[in-house]
Amino acid sequence: MSPPLLGVGEEDQSNVTLLASPASIDSLCRNSSELKERNYMGLSDCSSVDSSGVSMVSDGNKSSLNLKATELRLGLPGCQSPERDPERCLLSSAQLDEKPLFPLHPLKDGQYPSSQKAVGSGSKRGFSDAMDGFTKEKYLAKSEVAPMLSPRPSSNLGLKTEPTNAKEVAPSKIVQERPRAANEPRPNHNGSANGNSSAPATKAQVVGWPPIRSFRKNSLASTSKNNDEVEGKAVPGAIFVKVSMDGAPYLRKVDLKNYSKYQELSSALEKMFSCFTIGQYGSHGTLGREMLSESKLKDLLHGSEYVLTYEDKDGDWMLVGDVPWEMFIETCKRMRIMKSSDAIGLAPRAVEKCRNRN
Amino acid sequence: MMNYFPDEVLEHVFDFVTSHRDRNAVSLVCKLWYRVERYSRQRVFIGNCYAISPERLIARFPGVKSLTLKGKPHFADFNLVPQDWGGYVQPWIEALARSRIGLEELRLKRMVVSDESLDVLSRSFTNFKSLVLVSCEGFTTDGLAAIAANCRFLRELDLQENEIEEKKNHWLGCFPDSCTSLVSLNFACLKEINLAALERLVARNPNLKSLKLNRAVPLEALQRILMRAPQLVDLGTGSFVLDRDSDDSETYRKLRTTILKCRSIRNLSGFLEVAPHCLPAIYPICVNLTYLNLSYAAGIHGSELIKLIRLCGKLQRLWILDCIGDKGLEIVASTCKDLQELRVFPSDPFGAGHDAVTETGLVAISSGCPKLNSLLYFCQQMTNAALIAVAKNCPNFIRFRLCILDPTKPDPVTMQPLDEGFGAIVQSSKRLRRLSLSGLLTDRVFLYIGMYAEQLEMLSIAFAGESDKGMLYVLNGCKKLRKLEIRDSPFGDMALLRDVGKYETMRSLWMSSCDVTLGGCKTLAKKMPRLNVEIINENDQMEFAPEDSQKVEKMYLYRTLVGPRKDAPEFVWTLV
């Protein structure tokens, strides 16, 4: 008997029994009342299943849940055992010989319901439900998550109102839905096969998906700030500049791209050079695009021991905070945390610039 | 026969039994063996800190030297568990300290650790040697300072992906000059570090084998550190970037020369920031590498990655970003014949990812690397045909985790669900222990899992299945199942209550955004007093006497010997 795995491409008949038979609640209740041997310790592999529980006699025209199929067996799956009903068995050995378990191309029977059912069923919460603010209609019309849906909302809505609420899926229902699936326009298939031809602009972000730890997410986020490039790839463009501090034994380097405003840079530097005090530079809130008034600047210089200065492209030493942040990171070559007594000479220039802006 | 041996002989024999599962089995044979085993057990693993109490641990294993504890459920990694849920290590450390246990090693995962806990830890156990914290939170660098200052024989301090508040202290400088016993130091998750203290520390610890730096360590410092520690086996670089200044070529040249001397490096990671033109510095050691982690190195193009990979013929474990592309994976397949573990992470998790990997890359890997046994693969799409091919090429999977970024995407070629593909995987890999599913999936995949995944211990399900039958197949079929976590799938009370005894054979069950109702959970809790059935209840809608018919947003149940926990916050209800 050839293992079903290797029988690729051989299949023709699609006799794999559908598992779509609805479970009879009665037979299930019968099972739960029996004592079961529980394999708590994992010491022995005794089968804990009742053989009498799953009734092979169907109630009415519903066949019972084939729990037997999931039981631990000594033989290969699908081995004939006396009590098995070959018709109900998922994989009879005959089937194993004739057709592989996992056919490569779609079976004629279309053995399971289409994805429309997943979306349309009222009792199931599909991926669409997990997205905030999406109604079913919107989801059907716009999203490319379920590419089987046709772009014509009307036909899908029609599908949606089918009585698919029942958890049982009788074989007849499958047959009913399949023709609809077959009618899906092929262009849709091609479009979604490419996967990314249309950016899923309406895709909401589901909490916790994709499953990536926060540390990794944050790490990627900070190294890929320029994410709107055409290639959709991250451009690192790190801007490292040396930072020296008067009196400190060694220099540091900072990546200016890690910050989006002066406040952040200031607190980062503060942490870095924490053995020396930087002063109230960061907390003034007058930096960035706002102008430094003369009085505020004096507060700055007199209230703190150090000031933050930088050397620009022209080789001039400037006070940090005068120009817009974006301009600053473009022109800054290196930074120096200067004693305020040394920085007095810079003040007139800064104040002058402010005056010019006024 | 064994009863006639003195206890010492039994103990000596048990010394050779090291895995905790085997020791658990040994302890069940008879009362004598139970007694001998418990006094001689040194390493204890507790997979759920709420399953047992510290007092009972100490009572049974008075000789414990190494303790591993896990706290929050796995989905806490993905923000599905709110803050303050629990998982505090404080009571454990306090109890161990009071009882004067000779603790030497503490390994925590997803637990809340406070500075006070670390302080008590550092002062209470004179022989304390090893602290490993993975995905923990709640402490600051003050706690680390206490560990550094007080643990005189510290050998290992391993901080992996923790959330640590960084104070202005220089905790690294708190290691006394007499500290020369370090073997392993990992602070990659911190943002800052005192460079001078680091260099001095490395210089006086000649036994250092594993060193993982953080972003704040620039290339120049790395070069100096490697000069002092050419014996390193395990290196995590910090920032691997040279900037605009003009003296870079000198630095780079020195780095290359230094790296040439580091012939012992087998594991290379870090690259939290990297400039592509610096990569050639590590080419000389690539040939020796067995583990390479470039999964944080965003911004390296596929072509540069490929150049690097071509040199790594001995690689056994590779963690990489999907910008390597399918083409890059083909190179991996042809170069790394010994590859056992592959993890491909998304560089752009929420975008369209044009350079991302698809099923083609995975098939190429499976075809070139038959020893592959552990996979974590984030991709844009997957086909049944590809999974079937992978299953055929690699029958040795122990861990198989596939994450299709669009979680309900079908096979794009056939438009079918991926049931057959995953079915092939579970049927072929008979030793599969861990499985994560994604893509469009019906109940059928669960039937396959129940039928074939006989060794499966952990299963993660998201946006899958159609009815209770799916869950039932799994619960009924997977005899060795220990952890089951399900989100956004249509499984309800019928599946939950079908076989309540099953949950005592498992560590835990997580169900969120499924169809289980409050009434169903209550019924379960009532029938099974040795389970804690917890409802996490964040919304307002549950505030006012909720109906039994109301669906429960998040349920987490686990077996326990110590009843409902006393530290549950107000938004966690333990049903009884």
Side-chain angles (χ1 to χ4, degrees):
Chain A
M1 178 163 64
S2 62
L5 260 186
L6 297 178
V8 158
E10 294 168 12
E11 65 81 24
D12 213 21
Q13 26 176 355
S14 41
N15 273 342
V16 179
T17 311
L18 267 178
L19 275 191
S21 46
S24 108
I25 303 292
D26 289 346
S27 70
L28 291 177
C29 287
R30 233 177 287 135
N31 296 336
S32 56
S33 61
E34 292 165 11
L35 278 180
K36 289 224 184 96
E37 190 177 341
R38 243 336 113 203
N39 191 7
Y40 287 106
M41 301 305 172
L43 284 178
S44 61
D45 270 344
C46 47
S47 169
S48 62
V49 167
D50 52 293
S51 46
S52 55
V54 180
S55 82
M56 289 311 196
V57 178
S58 53
D59 301 338
N61 50 6
K62 296 177 184 173
S63 45
S64 57
L65 180 59
N66 197 358
L67 278 179
K68 212 58 174 95
T70 56
E71 289 321 313
L72 195 69
R73 284 174 302 278
L74 289 177
L76 284 173
C79 272
Q80 295 288 359
S81 45
E83 65 269 23
R84 277 187 116 85
D85 182 349
E87 279 172 70
R88 305 224 184 275
C89 176
L90 175 69
L91 301 159
S92 67
S93 50
Q95 286 173 340
L96 278 176
D97 284 336
E98 283 167 346
K99 78 171 281 312
L101 180 57
F102 310 116
L104 277 190
H105 40 278
L107 303 174
K108 295 198 181 88
D109 282 351
Q111 57 203 112
Y112 15 58
S114 66
S115 57
Q116 282 109 326
K117 178 189 179 305
V119 175
S121 160
S123 66
K124 172 180 145 67
R125 193 178 316 161
F127 179 49
S128 59
D129 290 2
M131 298 190 198
D132 290 335
F134 273 87
T135 63
K136 285 255 169 9
E137 285 74 13
K138 267 207 286 190
Y139 173 73
L140 290 172
K142 286 192 204 171
S143 166
E144 69 159 28
V145 169
M148 285 194 70
L149 299 175
S150 81
R152 299 158 299 185
S154 52
S155 69
N156 290 331
L157 284 178
L159 242 177
K160 193 165 74 82
T161 57
E162 281 227 11
T164 53
N165 286 349
K167 284 193 178 149
E168 300 108 39
V169 182
S172 55
K173 278 225 163 48
I174 309 299
V175 175
Q176 205 175 346
E177 288 177 350
R178 222 185 332 106
R180 238 168 269 264
N183 285 341
E184 293 308 309
R186 281 319 251 163
N188 207 19
H189 164 250
N190 288 335
S192 49
N194 292 340
N196 302 316
S197 48
S198 60
T202 56
K203 195 188 315 199
Q205 284 181 18
V206 178
V207 173
W209 194 269
I212 304 175
R213 283 189 184 165
S214 332
F215 181 79
R216 184 175 291 281
K217 256 195 277 201
N218 296 340
S219 186
L220 283 176
S222 67
T223 48
S224 60
K225 284 237 157 81
N226 301 335
N227 223 1
D228 41 21
E229 246 71 337
V230 174
E231 311 114 49
K233 238 186 332 193
V235 174
I239 302 178
F240 279 89
V241 295
K242 283 185 184 169
V243 185
S244 63
M245 178 162 181
D246 291 355
Y250 51 87
L251 278 62
R252 297 302 301 269
K253 272 198 178 141
V254 288
D255 176 5
L256 294 178
K257 283 268 173 161
N258 274 345
Y259 316 106
S260 53
K261 48 187 195 269
Y262 285 114
Q263 183 82 10
E264 289 173 23
L265 172 63
S266 166
S267 22
L269 290 177
E270 209 169 323
K271 276 195 192 154
M272 245 186 238
F273 290 95
S274 54
C275 35
F276 311 96
T277 52
I278 287 192
Q280 304 311 303
Y281 189 69
S283 54
H284 269 277
T286 61
L287 309 169
R289 294 176 193 275
E290 293 173 63
M291 294 177 260
L292 281 173
S293 69
E294 196 167 352
S295 56
K296 276 184 184 157
L297 187 59
K298 284 203 180 121
D299 284 343
L300 177 70
L301 294 176
H302 294 136
S304 65
E305 221 178 307
Y306 295 89
V307 289
L308 185 58
T309 64
Y310 72 103
E311 184 185 6
D312 70 0
K313 279 187 177 149
D314 304 324
D316 294 324
W317 284 93
M318 317 281 287
L319 199 63
V320 169
D322 286 344
V323 299
W325 174 258
E326 287 75 15
M327 193 188 300
F328 166 70
I329 63 177
E330 285 303 309
T331 56
C332 170
K333 259 179 61 184
R334 66 185 76 224
M335 288 195 281
R336 179 175 158 203
I337 302 174
M338 221 178 239
K339 287 213 173 63
S340 53
S341 46
D342 297 336
I344 292 298
L346 289 175
R349 183 184 281 153
V351 171
E352 200 183 347
K353 277 189 176 153
C354 289
R355 279 210 203 102
N356 290 342
R357 289 217 199 100
N358 284 337
Chain B
M1 187 58 170
M2 290 287 268
N3 287 348
Y4 297 116
F5 291 165
D7 289 1
E8 295 80 24
V9 174
L10 273 181
E11 196 179 308
H12 182 66
V13 172
F14 293 169
D15 276 350
F16 295 97
V17 181
T18 47
S19 101
H20 58 268
R21 287 191 207 184
D22 289 342
R23 289 205 73 124
N24 289 348
V26 158
S27 69
L28 292 169
V29 169
C30 63
K31 283 191 178 150
L32 171 66
W33 283 35
Y34 175 87
R35 182 166 50 81
V36 173
E37 195 283 318
R38 76 175 255 253
Y39 281 112
S40 61
R41 172 113 59 150
Q42 294 190 342
R43 312 183 65 89
V44 176
F45 171 87
I46 295 177
N48 175 7
C49 64
Y50 290 120
I52 193 72
S53 69
E55 289 74 27
R56 287 182 67 158
L57 162 73
I58 294 164
R60 180 166 169 189
F61 300 117
V64 62
K65 291 200 161 62
S66 163
L67 177 61
T68 303
L69 280 172
K70 295 191 181 179
K72 301 185 206 169
H74 174 233
F75 276 176
D77 279 351
F78 318 128
N79 299 331
L80 287 177
V81 175
Q83 281 293 98
D84 304 325
W85 174 87
Y88 305 103
V89 77
Q90 179 74 1
W92 293 86
I93 292 184
E94 279 176 357
L96 289 163
R98 270 197 306 270
S99 68
R100 287 175 280 128
I101 291 264
L103 194 68
E104 294 183 13
E105 177 178 81
L106 186 62
R107 309 167 74 94
L108 305 177
K109 188 167 187 180
R110 279 190 287 271
M111 293 200 70
V112 177
V113 180
S114 64
D115 284 342
E116 194 200 332
S117 306
L118 291 176
D119 191 57
V120 172
L121 179 68
S122 72
R123 291 178 198 283
S124 310
F125 308 104
T126 47
N127 266 341
F128 193 74
K129 295 197 171 68
S130 165
L131 181 62
V132 179
L133 301 177
V134 180
S135 295
C136 296
E137 51 159 352
F139 59 106
T140 77
T141 46
D142 286 347
L144 297 178
I147 297 286
N150 302 327
C151 299
R152 291 169 48 209
F153 304 113
L154 196 68
R155 296 226 297 253
E156 177 176 25
L157 179 59
D158 188 354
L159 307 169
Q160 297 178 31
E161 301 193 356
N162 303 289
E163 281 192 25
I164 306 176
E165 182 191 331
E166 297 181 51
K167 299 258 182 93
K168 289 184 186 172
N169 67 356
H170 293 299
W171 67 274
L172 204 64
C174 295
F175 278 107
D177 288 340
S178 54
C179 168
T180 57
S181 51
L182 276 180
V183 173
S184 166
L185 178 63
N186 174 5
F187 57 89
C189 60
L190 291 176
K191 295 200 182 65
E192 283 308 320
I193 200 68
N194 180 333
L195 275 181
L198 173 64
E199 294 188 39
R200 286 196 305 269
L201 188 67
V202 172
R204 67 178 184 274
N205 280 281
N207 295 326
L208 203 57
K209 290 281 184 300
S210 170
L211 181 62
K212 294 185 184 162
L213 310 170
N214 69 354
R215 267 178 219 264
V217 180
L219 216 54
E220 301 88 351
L222 173 66
Q223 186 269 326
R224 289 193 295 271
I225 287 170
L226 288 178
M227 285 279 287
R228 309 264 204 188
Q231 78 281 2
L232 284 177
V233 173
D234 194 357
L235 171 67
T237 68
S239 168
F240 214 78
V241 177
L242 296 170
D243 62 3
R244 294 169 170 174
D245 291 324
S246 55
D247 44 298
D248 289 348
S249 53
E250 174 67 17
T251 311
Y252 184 72
R253 194 191 56 75
K254 278 202 281 192
L255 180 69
R256 281 205 77 147
T257 317
T258 310
I259 286 187
L260 273 171
K261 300 200 185 99
C262 299
R263 290 263 150 226
S264 308
I265 295 182
R266 296 286 170 272
N267 305 325
L268 188 60
S269 59
F271 301 98
L272 302 168
E273 254 141 15
V274 55
H277 62 271
C278 299
L279 274 186
I282 61 167
Y283 286 174
I285 51 171
C286 285
V287 65
N288 298 326
L289 292 180
T290 54
Y291 168 58
L292 177 62
N293 182 349
L294 289 171
S295 63
Y296 287 97
I300 302 190
H301 295 249
S303 52
E304 284 135 0
L305 284 173
I306 287 173
K307 268 195 268 180
L308 189 67
I309 299 282
R310 280 196 203 278
L311 302 169
C312 303
K314 290 199 195 145
L315 221 49
Q316 292 172 16
R317 295 168 57 212
L318 175 64
W319 292 27
I320 201 127
L321 286 173
D322 61 3
C323 37
I324 193 175
D326 285 335
K327 283 276 169 279
L329 289 177
E330 283 167 29
I331 304 295
V332 173
S334 61
T335 310
C336 310
K337 291 309 186 185
D338 288 334
L339 196 69
Q340 292 174 29
E341 176 179 326
L342 174 67
R343 297 198 190 191
V344 180
F345 293 94
S347 47
D348 188 12
F350 303 109
H354 296 270
D355 268 345
V357 295
T358 67
E359 74 275 11
T360 309
L362 185 59
V363 172
I365 290 279
S366 73
S367 170
C369 309
K371 293 187 193 171
L372 195 67
N373 61 40
S374 175
L375 180 75
L376 171 61
Y377 197 76
F378 285 83
C379 58
Q380 292 293 326
Q381 62 182 49
M382 186 52 57
T383 64
N384 283 311
L387 286 174
I388 290 168
V390 169
K392 185 170 142 210
N393 294 333
C394 296
N396 298 315
F397 280 115
I398 299 174
R399 283 178 288 277
F400 189 90
R401 294 194 277 163
L402 185 70
C403 178
I404 301 170
L405 291 170
D406 182 349
T408 55
K409 187 164 184 170
D411 178 330
V413 172
T414 63
M415 303 313 284
Q416 300 299 331
L418 292 178
D419 303 334
E420 300 304 316
F422 279 107
I425 295 285
V426 296
Q427 197 186 26
S428 132
S429 287
K430 306 209 185 308
R431 285 188 290 251
L432 191 70
R433 294 205 304 252
R434 183 169 179 185
L435 178 65
S436 296
L437 308 170
S438 62
L440 186 66
L441 295 163
T442 71
D443 287 343
R444 193 175 189 82
V445 70
F446 299 114
L447 174 71
Y448 293 146
I449 291 173
M451 283 175 74
Y452 296 114
E454 294 174 3
Q455 302 299 318
L456 194 67
E457 296 178 4
M458 181 170 177
L459 179 61
S460 306
I461 301 171
F463 304 102
E466 306 156 286
S467 75
D468 284 326
K469 285 201 283 281
M471 186 168 165
L472 286 174
Y473 292 141
V474 171
L475 290 176
N476 196 49
C478 299
K479 300 303 178 202
K480 301 228 175 143
L481 194 65
R482 286 178 23 242
K483 286 178 283 181
L484 180 58
E485 47 187 23
I486 307 173
R487 63 166 291 181
D488 295 274
S489 301
F491 306 134
D493 295 342
M494 201 269 272
L496 182 71
L497 296 173
R498 166 83 167 80
D499 180 7
V500 294
K502 172 76 175 174
Y503 306 121
E504 274 196 17
T505 72
M506 293 165 55
R507 184 189 298 174
S508 64
L509 167 67
W510 168 283
M511 292 181 77
S512 61
S513 304
C514 297
D515 292 347
V516 293
T517 67
L518 184 58
C521 295
K522 280 184 185 172
T523 307
L524 178 58
K526 206 179 225 143
K527 286 191 180 176
M528 301 295 296
R530 284 196 300 199
L531 296 179
N532 278 352
V533 181
E534 296 184 4
I535 309 289
I536 296 174
N537 163 30
E538 297 164 278
N539 316 335
D540 293 338
Q541 54 175 187
M542 278 250 186
E543 266 177 20
F544 315 100
E547 304 275 317
D548 276 1
S549 56
Q550 196 162 3
K551 286 189 191 170
V552 156
E553 196 46 44
K554 291 174 183 168
M555 178 204 72
Y556 179 58
L557 67 83
Y558 52 90
R559 67 180 174 190
T560 178
L561 292 175
V562 291
R565 56 184 173 114
K566 299 186 180 52
D567 61 5
E570 52 169 23
F571 55 81
V572 171
W573 299 353
T574 305
L575 303 178
V576 287

